[in-house]
Amino acid sequence: MPTVGVKRDLLFQALGRTYTDEEFDELCFEFGLELDEITSEKDIISREQGDQKAEGASDVILYKIDVPANRYDLLCLEGLVRGLQVFKEKMEAPRYRRVSPVNGDPQRLIITEDTAGVRPHAVAAVLRNITFTPERYESFIELQEKLHQNVCRKRTLVAIGTHDLDTVSGPFTYTAKAPNDIRFRPLNQSQEYTATQLMSLYKTDSHLRHYLHIIEDEPLYPVIYDSNGIVLSMPPIINGDHSKISVNTKNVFIECTATDLTKAKIVLDMVVTMFSEYCRLMLFLVLSSLSLSLSLSLSLSLSLSLSLSLSLRESAESIAQLLTRMCLRSEVAGDDGQIQVEIPPTRSDVIHACDIMEDAAMAYGFNNITRTTPRTYTVANQLPLNKLTELLRMDLAAAGFTEALTFALCSQEDIADKLGKNISETRAVHISNPKTAEFQVARTTLLSGLLKTVAANRKMPLPLKLFEISDVVLKDETTDVGARNNRRLCAVYYNKTPGFEVIHGLLDRVMQLLEVRPGRKHGYYIQAAEDSTFFPGRCAEIFSHGESVGRLGVLHPDVISGFELTMPCSALEINIEHFL
Amino acid sequence: MADSGLLESVLRLVEKVDGGVDSQDVAGGLSVDHQVVVGAVKSLQALGEVIEATQRSSKHWEVTGEGNEILEQGSHEARVFKAIPEEGLPQSELMKLPSGKVGFSKAMSNKWIRLDKGHEGGPRVFRTVDSIEDAVREKLQQVKKGQSSQLEEKEKNELKKRKLLTEVTVKSYWITKGSNFSTTITKQETELTPEMIASGSWREKKFKPYNFEAMGVAPDSGHLHPLMKVRTQFRQIFLEMGFTEMPTNNFIESSFWNFDSLFQPQQHPARDQHDTFFLSDPALAHEFPPDYLERVKKVHSEGGFGSQGYKYDWKIEEAQKNILRTHTTAVSARMLYKLAQQEKFTPVKYFSIDRVFRNETLDATHLAEFHQIEGVVADYGLTLGDLMGVLHQFFTKLGLKKWVEVGNSGVFRPEMLLPMGLPEEVSVIAWGLSLERPTMIKYGINNIRELVGHKVNLQMVYDSPVCRLDS
């Protein structure tokens, strides 16, 4: 969920009234937002970098507001204010419209086929006769940054470039060229560089270096020229310095280049609709690519029956009114309770009637919905494996063993080297992107977790008697994903003497609980086995109904020291799925 | 135990006095050491309510070793005085006497003697009075007779300073009759024995009282883990509400079931390397219901089922990627798909509580794996009111009276349900929360590492109470 920081006083000024923190928190809740934090730049710097660094920073109060991830229209002050004012019925939901320039043809952006291999889509628009103030300008820049971080997925899907239209002349060309053939003076630099030079220049730039990978290995880099060959931008990395905008810019040319056309249109729509309020007239155009964006305000009709599924006991009229308050202009169409809803370009999150219903419920107030009990009649069933697990856990505790709860993820070392095994014989699944060695593999045995628990509790009085019943994960080509869980029961006995008889006694008790009698053919028995985890001659394999279900024995001294233990230890691990 | 003869002598003494008696006086009366009497008092106390004894302390003055010497031989100054004959004594000889130094200065300040420094043959000491009164010795005698109270404090302190007297604190008991007072002692039994039961002799015996202040002996027992106890209760709640348990024993899941089937777009941040554990081996899942896969692809990339869709290039390669499931909703999706394949739809209520995995930054409340609790209801015509009603019942059983943010709830999107083949009129409501968070709230644990994993203190497991969520 993105967080938007707005200056409190500017917000209140735009809302036309002040609120107490509690009142504003309440308003946010009603509107589906969350007032996350009340702070100031000074507070933030002092918290992150210490009081000294914070000295002299602004102590203007900031509201940090959590916004739903797909509500890009609430990512700036302008959008928030518009949404809240309409919600409080202080203003009407705006209708956005595309306007052609009074004199002259619309601007054009020509997309060449060279872009197909690297970044195939582009859309563009112009905001004409805009009046920036320092605050508006700051908000304009911040909105682009927020969009870049969220819907643009760190510029991979979409990158936004904004330019002073009066410094360049159309038509514009979006093309792709070899890095050495692109040469221009980038934003805030004093000399020209080739694209190749720029990539190495920005290797150390704390901000830009995160975007280089998007085009770095491509043979052609995307670039936008004006009709005189001036470079506007090299998306998604950097704009040219020539066309840079300032607080005094009057006409803004906005281009969005993308790998995802739908997202590009959403982003362009957001920038344009949010800042059109500062224009005398808003002019918008997209050309050359077949896309048109802003005109795409779809209408959906809803039937009154959907209000029943929301449990809103409201007339069609009042539902239409609720929706209108959410910037979804609605009216009742006809006598059968149909509601006609207009979706503005700001609400790209609305893609199905259910999104409209959600807004209606939000405006109605979730807490005003009457609670009902579904009449769904069902009979409960336990999963047999979990039922058996629950029953065995109780009886293992009754047998004097204490339950441990250990992690399913661990290091390769835990399940292999430390147990005297080779990782290749474990059938373990491997994680490709672990942040630390603790998450290299899913465990193939519960034993290492129990031994680590013992190691962390060496100060406790002896003996330590621990058990766990939980899942391990094994590769298995017969399943759709190539792996499956296996439910295991593991127990350890840690004391000054190995206590094989204790662990053996526990096995006998477990078998008794599972109604398996000692015996070769139709019961269980143990038989000497070789296993590198165990002390030679002190390991046995457990068979039930002729099938091997696990092992028990005294652990190998190397295993004991491998887990930083000092006393002898005996252990038992069996597969309980066999007993279902 | 002190011998019963002594005990009975003590008891007889106590019988004679009405208000009680000090153990020191008892010692005096019986001519035994006070410590012996103290032992006797303790033995008598152990017999029950025979006597009552309260400890008290008293201070008294005692003559020191040096003081006793003075009592025998007189004070140092008196001894000096006596040693000086009529004709005087050279000072050097006087100083050789045992009491010489101290006695000389004291006798000088008492003006009993004088020093003639100019005497021929060296300084010489002479008496100045004919007789003296040895006040120091007399005062010590008074203390010795137990009449120290007749001396003034100043005098006693003066003698204390000269290390002739010392003030001693004595702990003693004030003994009075108890509610079961008797002058004869019956030996008390410590425990009831089979022989006593057989012979009936327990009727005549007196039994030593138990000390109910002490703790008992801890039973030799095993213990269940507190988080697992809470899991048991959550299972119980779901079962009481008629929910059937889903098979969640598959930690490895394909991105298809974990994300795509839930209408989660392929560029969603949750599908990032930073949030999800991907597998390198086995890296890909290779089997999906083919028709369903096509419908999922279509609803993402083109829309349909009343949806605009996300309109992007949906890739099977993304869907195939194996991961450690990030939520148990992946299993709910499998179950709902299975439900949709039934010939006729039947309403269901499902639940699960099992592990899920997130490759996120770890802190005091976040681990890479935790348990997710999930409830799902699928039926014709379910409403938001139904969702809120079910949630209310669930959280009431949980005993969470104050609503705190512990989870999420909602109605599954048609883009998820319709491609599965569920009837259009069927709604599915669901909610989820973590098992750890309510447990931490319930037990006031601030760091999740104190609750889960191999580093937990087993003492915490040993000491944890039963789990009754609703109380």
Side-chain angles (χ1 to χ4, degrees):
Chain A
M1 212 177 235
T3 303
V4 182
V6 291
K7 292 184 178 132
R8 184 192 62 182
D9 295 347
L10 278 181
L11 179 69
F12 288 173
Q13 195 189 328
L15 290 172
R17 60 159 288 191
T18 59
Y19 292 83
T20 64
D21 292 341
E22 291 74 30
E23 284 169 345
F24 192 74
D25 188 41
E26 182 63 29
L27 176 63
C28 283
F29 179 78
E30 285 173 23
F31 193 55
L33 307 175
E34 196 183 324
L35 179 56
D36 185 48
E37 199 187 356
I38 300 162
T39 180
S40 72
E41 246 164 61
K42 194 172 188 171
D43 277 353
I44 296 171
I45 299 175
S46 110
R47 192 177 49 211
E48 288 170 359
Q49 304 171 35
D51 289 340
Q52 274 191 331
K53 288 263 169 78
E55 223 156 287
S58 159
D59 48 13
V60 170
I61 294 185
L62 290 179
Y63 276 175
K64 296 266 178 189
I65 301 169
D66 276 351
V67 174
N70 55 2
R71 289 297 299 271
Y72 315 120
D73 59 316
L74 302 177
L75 287 177
C76 63
L77 177 81
E78 287 73 14
L80 267 175
V81 167
R82 219 174 287 165
L84 288 170
Q85 291 293 73
V86 173
F87 182 64
K88 299 301 282 182
E89 299 181 290
K90 297 255 181 64
M91 67 180 270
E92 276 196 29
R95 273 205 172 96
Y96 303 92
R97 128 187 113 79
R98 182 163 58 127
V99 190
S100 295
V102 184
N103 34 30
D105 292 329
Q107 292 288 354
R108 283 159 32 89
L109 175 66
I110 298 154
I111 303 172
T112 74
E113 279 182 8
D114 300 326
T115 60
V118 49
R119 203 170 177 82
H121 308 291
V123 288
V126 176
L127 283 166
R128 264 184 220 276
N129 287 316
I130 195 163
T131 309
F132 281 127
T133 63
E135 288 81 20
R136 293 172 183 181
Y137 183 77
E138 197 185 326
S139 178
F140 189 63
I141 303 298
E142 263 175 37
L143 172 65
Q144 292 174 51
E145 185 54 26
K146 286 272 181 242
L147 290 168
H148 274 152
Q149 292 311 313
N150 292 287
V151 58
C152 303
R153 303 290 293 127
K154 300 190 173 125
R155 302 193 189 179
T156 52
L157 300 184
V158 187
I160 312 162
T162 54
H163 310 275
D164 186 339
L165 182 63
D166 299 326
T167 64
V168 285
S169 55
F172 303 98
T173 305
Y174 175 46
T175 184
K177 285 190 165 186
N180 281 328
D181 297 341
I182 302 172
R183 189 179 173 83
F184 66 106
R185 182 155 65 95
L187 201 58
N188 302 328
Q189 294 287 343
S190 51
Q191 63 171 92
E192 288 194 350
Y193 294 89
T194 65
T196 315
Q197 289 167 330
L198 277 180
M199 294 304 264
S200 69
L201 178 69
Y202 291 142
K203 274 271 185 298
T204 53
D205 187 295
S206 64
H207 180 56
L208 294 178
R209 67 191 162 95
H210 301 294
Y211 308 117
L212 303 181
H213 72 95
I214 304 173
I215 55 167
E216 203 166 22
D217 299 328
E218 299 292 339
L220 303 179
Y221 286 3
V223 60
I224 299 177
Y225 292 100
D226 84 342
S227 59
N228 299 320
I230 292 170
V231 170
L232 274 73
S233 65
M234 184 176 87
I237 311 296
I238 189 80
N239 286 351
D241 195 70
H242 181 90
S243 59
K244 77 173 168 202
I245 65 165
S246 74
V247 70
N248 298 317
T249 297
K250 285 286 148 207
N251 298 297
V252 186
F253 178 69
I254 306 160
E255 35 90 0
C256 293
T257 56
T259 53
D260 182 321
L261 180 60
T262 314
K263 291 277 195 296
K265 291 179 193 169
I266 290 172
V267 169
L268 186 65
D269 282 353
M270 282 313 145
V271 178
V272 170
T273 54
M274 289 301 114
F275 283 85
S276 60
E277 69 180 64
Y278 303 135
C279 295
R280 277 229 312 275
L281 260 182
M282 181 194 56
L283 302 187
F284 176 83
L285 51 121
V286 177
L287 276 184
S288 205
S289 83
L290 293 171
S291 65
L292 268 200
S293 182
L294 194 62
S295 55
L296 195 145
S297 68
L298 65 137
S299 325
L300 286 168
S301 21
L302 297 180
S303 77
L304 191 59
S305 67
L306 83 84
S307 75
L308 290 176
S309 76
L310 291 170
S311 318
L312 310 185
R313 310 237 163 90
E314 294 291 312
S315 65
E317 283 77 12
S318 52
I319 293 209
Q321 200 187 345
L322 288 174
L323 288 172
T324 305
R325 282 177 59 201
M326 300 304 281
C327 287
L328 302 173
R329 283 168 171 270
S330 306
E331 52 191 35
V332 179
D335 298 334
D336 56 350
Q338 290 278 316
I339 301 170
Q340 192 70 22
V341 186
E342 222 178 280
I343 315 294
T346 45
R347 292 300 306 274
S348 59
D349 59 300
V350 177
I351 57 173
H352 191 281
C354 68
D355 296 307
I356 299 170
M357 297 184 215
E358 190 185 1
D359 267 26
M362 180 104 70
Y364 184 79
F366 285 116
N367 289 335
N368 297 324
I369 293 172
T370 312
R371 292 197 287 254
T372 49
T373 304
R375 289 192 210 136
T376 312
Y377 175 82
T378 51
V379 173
N381 288 308
Q382 303 186 50
L383 189 72
L385 180 60
N386 290 358
K387 183 175 179 176
L388 178 64
T389 300
E390 287 286 289
L391 294 171
L392 282 177
R393 285 176 53 239
M394 307 282 171
D395 269 312
L396 282 174
F401 281 70
T402 291
E403 186 174 34
L405 176 60
T406 67
F407 296 127
L409 304 184
C410 58
S411 65
Q412 292 190 18
E413 203 188 15
D414 284 341
I415 55 164
D417 312 26
K418 280 161 122 185
L419 291 178
K421 306 262 182 204
N422 193 316
I423 189 70
S424 59
E425 58 178 303
T426 59
R427 292 164 70 197
V429 303
H430 291 256
I431 293 167
S432 66
N433 58 333
K435 281 179 187 150
T436 69
E438 289 168 273
F439 311 119
Q440 288 174 325
V441 290
R443 65 184 172 197
T444 52
T445 166
L446 299 181
L447 181 60
S448 36
L450 288 188
L451 293 179
K452 288 199 278 185
T453 307
V454 173
N457 283 279
R458 276 174 306 194
K459 284 182 192 152
M460 297 296 290
L462 294 173
L464 284 176
K465 299 197 274 184
L466 301 179
F467 81 94
E468 183 169 14
I469 306 182
S470 190
D471 284 350
V472 301
V473 181
L474 303 170
K475 276 199 280 190
D476 180 352
E477 282 173 10
T478 64
T479 70
D480 60 344
V481 295
R484 65 174 165 84
N485 285 18
N486 181 231
R487 185 76 40 100
R488 297 279 179 85
L489 180 164
C490 184
V492 296
Y493 177 84
Y494 181 72
N495 201 1
K496 289 176 184 146
T497 54
F500 179 81
E501 68 289 356
V502 178
I503 280 297
H504 191 188
L506 184 69
L507 172 69
D508 294 336
R509 173 67 185 142
V510 168
M511 291 300 175
Q512 191 175 45
L513 290 166
L514 292 168
E515 293 183 271
V516 184
R517 293 171 185 283
R520 284 266 151 185
K521 258 194 176 166
H522 302 293
Y524 76 97
Y525 65 94
I526 65 174
Q527 174 181 303
E530 287 290 310
D531 189 317
S532 47
T533 301
F534 295 91
F535 199 45
R538 296 278 186 278
C539 171
E541 189 154 14
I542 305 157
F543 291 87
S544 171
H545 296 94
E547 199 179 307
S548 167
V549 293
R551 279 173 189 188
L552 81 169
V554 176
L555 294 183
H556 197 285
D558 289 344
V559 172
I560 291 179
S561 13
F563 284 92
E564 292 171 0
L565 298 175
T566 51
M567 304 274 169
C569 182
S570 51
L572 155 75
E573 180 159 357
I574 55 171
N575 161 16
I576 63 164
E577 291 179 20
H578 174 82
F579 302 97
L580 279 176
Chain B
M1 186 181 279
D3 79 282
S4 54
L6 175 67
L7 297 186
E8 290 183 2
S9 313
V10 172
L11 289 172
R12 277 193 297 277
L13 262 180
V14 174
E15 192 188 21
K16 280 183 215 152
V17 292
D18 283 331
V21 61
D22 190 287
S23 55
Q24 275 185 291
D25 297 337
V26 175
L30 296 175
S31 305
V32 294
D33 190 81
H34 182 240
Q35 278 312 311
V36 176
V37 178
V38 169
V41 168
K42 286 189 175 155
S43 302
L44 287 170
Q45 276 180 311
L47 297 179
E49 307 294 313
V50 180
I51 58 158
E52 277 181 26
T54 44
Q55 207 179 35
R56 58 184 202 168
S57 62
S58 61
K59 285 183 175 177
H60 74 245
W61 292 92
E62 260 181 23
V63 179
T64 64
E66 195 181 348
N68 277 318
E69 186 192 314
I70 285 170
L71 278 173
E72 276 172 33
Q73 302 175 17
S75 65
H76 298 296
E77 54 268 38
R79 276 183 259 170
V80 163
F81 180 80
K82 278 181 201 157
I84 299 173
E86 196 85 11
E87 64 278 16
L89 196 67
Q91 191 187 16
S92 54
E93 275 185 41
L94 179 73
M95 286 303 174
K96 286 177 194 154
L97 296 172
S99 299
K101 268 186 191 161
V102 189
F104 173 75
S105 61
K106 283 284 171 190
M108 283 293 282
S109 68
N110 286 352
K111 299 206 166 63
W112 292 349
I113 59 173
R114 69 180 171 83
L115 174 68
D116 183 357
K117 285 189 184 162
H119 201 278
E120 57 182 90
R124 202 173 177 90
V125 185
F126 295 94
R127 289 186 179 185
T128 54
V129 291
D130 294 333
S131 64
I132 52 155
E133 238 177 68
D134 193 350
V136 170
R137 186 183 194 181
E138 279 162 23
K139 285 173 195 165
L140 290 176
Q141 271 165 350
Q142 272 182 308
V143 172
K144 193 74 177 178
K145 282 184 211 155
Q147 298 163 350
S148 63
S149 55
Q150 287 175 15
L151 296 178
E152 284 177 32
E153 280 307 301
K154 210 176 95 187
E155 294 175 311
K156 285 184 278 199
N157 283 330
E158 177 70 20
L159 292 172
K160 186 183 172 186
K161 217 184 268 173
R162 288 184 67 176
K163 298 196 173 123
L164 305 178
L165 279 188
T166 168
E167 200 173 19
V168 185
T169 307
V170 178
K171 294 230 162 104
S172 62
Y173 286 92
W174 185 253
I175 312 165
T176 53
K177 291 172 192 168
S179 53
N180 278 334
F181 184 78
S182 147
T183 53
T184 50
I185 305 284
T186 27
K187 186 172 168 282
Q188 285 185 310
E189 300 293 339
T190 47
E191 295 295 357
L192 189 62
T193 62
E195 292 75 20
M196 290 178 200
I197 295 168
S199 67
S201 66
W202 60 270
R203 293 176 204 278
E204 282 79 46
K205 305 265 186 199
K206 285 210 166 178
F207 289 87
K208 201 177 168 187
Y210 279 165
N211 175 12
F212 294 115
E213 302 288 318
M215 297 293 281
V217 177
D220 207 3
S221 64
H223 310 263
L224 294 173
H225 191 282
L227 190 75
M228 295 294 98
K229 291 195 225 182
V230 180
R231 184 180 73 175
T232 302
Q233 289 311 303
F234 271 103
R235 275 186 97 236
Q236 187 65 31
I237 288 173
F238 277 115
L239 294 170
E240 285 166 8
M241 290 174 71
F243 283 65
T244 284
E245 195 168 28
M246 292 187 274
T248 45
N249 53 333
N250 59 323
F251 295 166
I252 309 302
E253 191 52 276
S254 62
S255 294
F256 179 77
W257 287 107
N258 194 83
F259 297 122
D260 296 286
S261 72
L262 305 176
F263 198 51
Q264 177 105 267
Q266 293 188 328
Q267 317 83 358
H268 194 279
R271 303 179 70 152
D272 211 279
Q273 297 272 333
H274 297 295
D275 290 294
T276 299
F277 286 115
F278 288 85
L279 292 198
S280 55
D281 180 25
L284 300 178
H286 46 74
E287 209 182 294
F288 306 99
D291 297 350
Y292 175 51
L293 182 109
E294 277 310 309
R295 292 194 294 271
V296 168
K297 175 180 178 172
K298 185 158 176 286
V299 77
H300 277 249
S301 53
E302 298 168 33
F305 306 103
S307 175
Q308 303 277 308
Y310 294 120
K311 300 200 168 69
Y312 68 96
D313 187 11
W314 188 89
K315 294 191 177 77
I316 176 77
E317 292 78 10
E318 274 302 317
Q320 275 187 297
K321 286 181 182 170
N322 273 335
I323 59 166
L324 278 149
R325 67 167 174 229
T326 63
H327 45 209
T328 48
T329 318
V331 176
S332 307
R334 284 177 183 266
M335 293 300 283
L336 289 169
Y337 171 75
K338 207 171 140 195
L339 177 68
Q341 308 319 301
Q342 282 180 190
E343 203 152 304
K344 189 174 179 303
F345 172 82
T346 47
V348 295
K349 294 197 293 219
Y350 288 141
F351 82 96
S352 64
I353 310 169
D354 212 336
R355 294 183 197 235
V356 297
F357 305 85
R358 306 270 168 95
N359 192 13
E360 54 187 13
T361 314
L362 311 181
D363 61 29
T365 52
H366 291 88
L367 290 172
E369 56 188 275
F370 61 94
H371 290 76
Q372 187 189 334
I373 301 167
E374 183 164 342
V376 178
V377 185
D379 201 353
Y380 288 104
L382 292 174
T383 67
L384 261 187
D386 289 335
L387 172 63
M388 295 182 65
V390 174
L391 281 180
H392 181 74
Q393 290 172 338
F394 180 78
F395 282 102
T396 302
K397 275 185 171 285
L398 202 58
L400 270 189
K401 297 195 178 64
K402 221 179 79 210
W403 285 74
V404 281
E405 195 183 327
V406 290
N408 292 305
S409 67
V411 184
F412 281 136
R413 293 186 70 95
E415 293 101 323
M416 165 183 168
L417 302 179
L418 296 178
M420 290 175 169
L422 285 170
E424 223 169 296
E425 306 76 27
V426 167
S427 300
V428 182
I429 58 179
W431 72 100
L433 61 157
S434 88
L435 176 63
E436 283 80 355
R437 180 145 160 77
T439 306
M440 288 168 76
I441 294 173
K442 198 90 191 168
Y443 293 110
I445 296 171
N446 293 322
N447 189 335
I448 197 166
R449 286 168 183 75
E450 289 166 20
L451 180 68
V452 193
H454 57 265
K455 286 189 180 140
V456 301
N457 184 349
L458 284 175
Q459 195 63 49
M460 181 278 291
V461 178
Y462 293 168
D463 294 345
S464 83
V466 295
C467 172
R468 288 171 295 178
L469 283 177
D470 53 358
S471 63

